Structure formats: structure tokens, C-alpha cells
Amino acid sequence: QQQQQQQQLTGITLQGRQQQQLFNASKPPLPNRIATCASSSGAMPADGAMEPADSGSTFVQTVFNVVNLMMGVGLLSLPFALKSSGWVGILMLWFMAFITNYTGKALVECANKVAENRGQPGAVVGYEEIAEAAFGKFGKALISAIIYIELFGTCCVLFILEQDNMFNLFGSATGMSPPQFLAIAAALMIPTVWLPNLSALSFLGVFGVAATTTVVASVAFTLFTGNFVPGAATTPAIWASVPLVFGIMTFCYSGHGVFPSIQASMKKPSEFPQVLNVAFFIVAFLCSFIGGAGYYMYGSAAADIIIFNMPGVLAMLCSCLVLINPIAKFALTMEPVAAAANMAAGGGKPLSGLPRLAVRTALALIILVAAKSVPYLAYVMSLVGSFMTISVSVTFPALCHLVLHKGQLAQTKVAWDYFVATLGVLCTISGTYASARSLAAKAASSAAGVA
């Protein structure tokens, strides 16, 4: 019971620790496991201390963890993003990589600053704790709410991805409709939230790595063998719809809330800025390749997910591997939201037994209803990315960096932080408006039978 309470009370920080648990499970067992994954509950030792430095992750292992953290659903929709923006989207991808790389480092500096102010250098500090140190209780409540809504939206994306992938694989053979496949997806995914310990899903993390690798290999094979119809219509830039792709592109570089924990897990934490440089370069390169190759091959016909355009056995293999991802990640992604709902339903005390299962099931069903209402993967991803992910990954790190290092930064650094924060606000406003408008238009056209 004590372990369960501790797991519930870890809140948002729990997401990062459980994500690391899933990502570490995708590689062979190593003696230098990330310290935050030492226990099955994902909880830290009571004093917040880390393992000795000589048992931490190496540079290469940490790069792998960061790359694995960021690579996800966003990668699959990048050809659609370039279809909306034109070739200028490639430049946007690299620009957002540069910006989010900086904010990742800024957030880690903020975490180190908070730990030092507490007299606990090297301790893991969660995102909500950074927000509280910078902006008080209001800041903590605001960032918590944003992250909860982002995770809720991401869970919707996982439902839609599973539905669309099942329909793509089995729709023509079975004659079933997308809503019927959504029901099957729910039957597979919702029971995972009943597990008392999410480490039971960790072994499925290897399929995430396999899916990403297979998608990249399949796109490269299709491109270099010429197994596509040449002459797809492309354009240099579609400025009117550029704001629509802000969210999708930022989605590819999300995961900032976990960075402080990953840094603290390293043998040499001082090398983490270089880790981010390497990891962001790898992710930006892969994103540019997938987005550019997909847009070059399919142009204005690019689907929401690249594998829906691709022919052959490799595409089918990609789809089968991607089917595992939502099942593995749904409960993990929903956990911080479920923990908060569990505490609220219990009046400040975590529920257990059947009441706990009832709260989790109800939350999963609410997410299912939301996904059924707007089953348009790329548009939902763009909305979540614009409204939430940009705030978490761009705007707030820069603002927290300004506040927590007040009077300690050079004027050029202060000006840069203000620029990044302003950019984040502008991207959030314009991207959210464009995404919401496009999502409403898509829903209206589908209701009218046009799409």
C-alpha cells in the first residue's frame, strides 16, 4: 500500500521515470541502468539521491535514450506536414530542432538550479517543481494542467493511430468500418490501465525501436528502388498553411520533462549538452529524410501516416509493428492523468482496488469518446502539438530560465530567452488557430460526406 501511494503521489514526474523504464527495456540488460528505473514502481529513493556515478549511463546509451524518447508518432506524419507547408517545412524542421535543443538545455539548467537552491545538487527535479520555483503555486498548477491536457490529447492520438492502422491493414478484407476498429482498439488498450504495475508493458518497448527502424528502412528502400509513381506534385512553400505544421514538427522533438532525469542518470552529467546536440541532430536528420522522401514520392497525395502510402511487404511489416506501439504506450501515457484523477476522486488520498479501476476505466472511456469525436490523426496531433507541446517544449523552458537565472545571464542570453518565449507564444496562437480551424473543417466535410 505504501508503494502504491508513493507511485500515485509522484504525479507528472512519474511519466518521465516510466518512459525511461519503457525505453530502457528496448535494449539488452545493462549493469548501468538508469537510476530512476531502479524500482518497478518508478519511484525515487526517499532522499532523492541518485546511484553512484560509476553505475550511470554512458554517452552513447544516453543518446539512445533521448533519441528513443523523441522518435514517435510525429515521425509518421511528417510527409503530411510537408504536404501542408511545402519544401520550406524542411527548414522549419531544423529550426525547431535548434530551438527545442536550446530549451532542453535551458530546462536542465533550471532543474540543476532548483536542486542547488535546495541544497541537493544532483537530485532529480521534475518539471512541475521547476515551474513552482519560477512562478509559485500558480506556475505549478498551470504547467501541470498543460501537461495533463497534452497527455490526454496524446492518448487520443494513440487511439486514432490504432484505429487507422487496423483499418488500413484489415479494412478491405473484413469490410469493417473505422469506428468498429476503434472499438477493437479500445478492447485491446483499455485493459492495460488495469495493470497494478506498468513495468509489465516494458518488454513491448522493443517494438517501438523496431517500428521506427523498419519505417526508416522501408522509406529508404522505396525511394532508392524507385518503387513509386514519379512526378508527384510538390511546391516550395504554402505560406497560408505553414502554421498548421508547427505542432506536428514540435511533436517530433518533445520529451523535455524527462531530460533532467536522464541527465542525472549519466556517468558524466556534464556531457548532457553534447548528448542533446547529437540526439537532436539524429532526430532532425531522420525527420528530414522521412518527411522529404515521403513528400517527394507522394506529394499532395501524402497520407496522414506515411506507411499508408507505401506498397509491399515492408509497409505491411511497418503497420504490424506500429500496431504494438499504442498498446504498449497507452497506459504509460495516461498514468500521470490517472494518478491525478485517482487522488481527486479519493479526496486527496489514492484509491485502491475496484474504485481505482473504476476511475481509470472511466478516464480511458472519456479519452475514447474524444478520439471517436475527432478521428483525424494529423489534425489532432497538430492541435495538441501547437496548443500544448510548444508551450511545454519552447515557451515555458525559456521563461523559467529567465526567472530562475535572473541577474546571472548575459544580455545576449536574456534577449535570446525572450525571443524564444515570444516565438513559442506566437507559434502556439497561430498553430492552435490553424489546427482548430482545419480540424473543424475536416469534421464538417466528413459529416457532409465529402471526405
Side-chain angles (χ1 to χ4, degrees), residues 3-21:
Q3 185 184 36
Q4 183 185 14
Q5 289 178 348
Q6 186 178 15
Q7 186 178 23
Q8 298 289 340
L9 292 172
T10 48
I12 293 173
T13 310
L14 179 61
Q15 183 209 12
R17 293 162 189 166
Q18 288 171 329
Q19 280 183 330
Q20 287 180 342
Q21 207 170 16

Side-chain angles (χ1 to χ4, degrees), residues 90-297:
I90 296 292
L91 297 178
M92 292 173 58
L93 268 172
W94 283 94
F95 180 69
M96 292 308 297
F98 178 76
I99 293 295
T100 50
N101 180 17
Y102 169 75
T103 55
K105 296 172 184 175
L107 195 65
V108 168
E109 290 180 12
C110 290
N112 294 339
K113 186 69 173 179
V114 173
E116 290 172 5
N117 291 343
R118 292 177 177 177
Q120 297 177 326
V124 177
V125 177
Y127 203 152
E128 57 181 0
E129 296 169 285
I130 295 172
E132 183 176 19
F135 301 107
K137 296 294 184 181
F138 172 78
K140 179 179 180 180
L142 181 60
I143 200 67
S144 297
I146 290 175
I147 292 180
Y148 287 147
I149 298 172
E150 181 189 25
L151 293 175
F152 185 97
T154 304
C155 287
C156 290
V157 169
L158 293 176
F159 266 134
I160 299 169
L161 174 62
E162 192 76 348
Q163 168 200 273
D164 290 353
N165 207 13
M166 284 184 174
F167 181 73
N168 182 61
L169 278 172
F170 311 116
S172 58
T174 62
M176 296 172 62
S177 65
Q180 290 174 312
F181 283 111
L182 182 60
I184 296 174
L188 294 172
M189 294 165 64
I190 291 179
T192 63
V193 308
W194 302 336
L195 294 172
N197 191 330
L198 295 182
S199 63
L201 295 172
S202 295
F203 76 96
L204 294 176
V206 68
F207 289 99
V209 180
T212 300
T213 304
T214 307
V215 167
V216 174
S218 298
V219 171
F221 180 82
T222 304
L223 176 66
F224 295 130
T225 59
N227 192 18
F228 61 94
V229 179
T234 63
T235 186
I238 309 174
W239 297 112
S241 57
V242 161
L244 179 64
V245 306
F246 287 152
I248 296 177
M249 292 184 176
T250 309
F251 217 85
C252 297
Y253 303 116
S254 61
H256 286 55
V258 191
F259 289 168
S261 297
I262 297 179
Q263 183 201 31
S265 75
M266 293 184 67
K267 286 183 179 180
K268 298 178 180 179
S270 61
E271 294 181 343
F272 192 67
Q274 288 72 40
V275 165
L276 288 182
N277 290 339
V278 174
F280 271 87
F281 177 83
I282 292 172
V283 173
F285 175 80
L286 291 176
C287 287
S288 298
F289 174 73
I290 294 295
Y295 186 49
Y296 173 76
M297 290 188 291

